[in-house]
Amino acid sequence: MFKAHSSYSYREAKFVTVSIEKNIDSVVATFQLGRHVAESGIPMEELLCKLKTFEPRYRSVAFEGASMGIALTHGLDTWNTFAQHAQRHATQVHIGLGWAMAEGQWDIASTLSAIEPEMRVKVLDGHGYWHGLFQRRATIRMQQVPQPITPDHRSGFDQGVGRAIWYITKGEPAKVLNIIDHFPESRRADLWQGIGVALTYVGGCSAERLRKIRSVSGDHRSNVDTGIASAEGSMRLALSENSF
């Protein structure tokens, strides 16, 4: 029903693809459509059925958008019900909550207190990604951290900022390096981990570009690889048989 450019492949398949730019367009369109469907007010069962019709490669992105829409329009109680029915997409659903937390200017501490500890980093990732995209001057150009973000929150937040950097640069290794090198060294490991996550989810990263990214990341190559492995794991779960 909902089609986008099909391009996902795992590391062993060498990221064979449609271009990064086209994949970004597909991700953005799918996210927005998922949010729109969630905000339309349809019953939960119907919403879940509609999300299942998205192309498998981008289905989790639709769940992420729907997660944001549900949280903003219906609150945490309804969001929790949605999350319970979307456990194979748990990473993206929690990232979507982070989008809502940022856009709705929710209290971070009280929101995170309602989330299981192991998933709080994903909520903070979504929060950081939103700030990287929509508060770009403060977050990326000036490397500022929003006042409510504590040192304990920083890792997840910076992973999200790293993902935003990948989208903004469209995966150009020199541009990625130039932006990250302006951040304090203490933040770079998490930023590079976000790069690894983003290049996997977006797709379009050729073997040569992946080699360049890993090369320019220098001492943070292992962080890129950790991000790739993390994203591959959650995508395998989402794409597994009966993944709904």
Side-chain angles (χ1 to χ4, degrees), residues 17-234:
T17 80
V18 177
S19 72
I20 290 173
E21 292 82 358
K22 288 184 178 179
N23 281 331
I24 287 175
D25 289 343
S26 292
V27 167
V28 170
T30 303
F31 180 94
Q32 291 174 342
L33 189 51
R35 178 179 178 179
H36 173 74
V37 172
E39 291 178 343
S40 66
I42 61 177
M44 181 69 69
E45 184 176 354
E46 184 178 350
L47 169 63
L48 292 167
C49 287
K50 282 186 177 292
L51 292 173
K52 191 176 182 180
T53 67
F54 279 80
E55 182 181 347
R57 165 65 177 87
Y58 294 95
R59 189 172 297 160
S60 285
V61 177
F63 271 84
E64 185 177 329
S67 172
M68 180 186 187
I70 286 174
L72 287 173
T73 56
H74 300 292
L76 271 176
D77 287 345
T78 302
W79 179 88
N80 274 317
T81 300
F82 175 73
Q84 290 169 12
H85 286 88
Q87 293 184 14
R88 288 186 182 271
H89 305 277
T91 292
Q92 294 76 22
V93 167
H94 283 81
I95 287 173
L97 179 61
W99 277 72
M101 188 170 70
E103 185 160 311
Q105 299 183 7
W106 294 359
D107 179 75
I108 293 175
S110 62
T111 303
L112 292 179
S113 69
I115 304 301
E116 57 272 31
E118 65 272 18
M119 298 306 295
R120 291 172 187 170
V121 66
K122 302 303 182 184
V123 178
L124 289 163
D125 180 314
H127 192 74
Y129 181 72
W130 186 95
H131 277 271
L133 288 186
F134 301 112
Q135 300 291 332
R136 189 180 305 181
R137 175 178 171 80
T139 305
I140 293 180
R141 293 183 183 177
M142 301 177 68
Q143 298 88 49
Q144 294 178 355
V145 178
Q147 188 62 37
I149 295 293
T150 68
D152 290 340
H153 299 153
R154 184 73 64 81
S155 179
F157 180 85
D158 279 348
Q159 287 176 43
V161 174
R163 290 198 302 117
I165 290 170
W166 182 262
Y167 279 76
I168 290 166
T169 62
K170 294 181 172 57
E172 289 292 337
K175 292 180 180 179
V176 170
L177 177 63
N178 180 59
I179 291 175
I180 292 181
D181 271 0
H182 281 82
F183 281 80
E185 175 61 36
S186 61
R187 300 182 65 185
R188 294 177 190 171
D190 291 314
L191 294 170
W192 280 112
Q193 185 162 326
I195 294 296
V197 170
L199 71 86
T200 307
Y201 273 118
V202 171
C205 188
S206 66
E208 175 61 19
R209 184 168 298 197
L210 176 60
R211 185 193 67 76
K212 289 181 179 178
I213 284 290
R214 295 181 77 243
S215 176
V216 301
S217 65
D219 292 341
H220 297 296
R221 181 178 299 182
S222 63
N223 300 108
V224 175
D225 290 344
T226 297
I228 291 171
S230 174
E232 286 179 341
S234 61

Side-chain angles (χ1 to χ4, degrees), residues 8-16 232-233 235-237 239:
Y8 176 72
S9 55
Y10 293 110
R11 181 168 30 184
E12 59 267 27
K14 301 181 181 179
F15 296 92
V16 178
E232 286 179 341
M235 291 186 80
R236 284 192 179 99
L237 178 62
L239 290 169

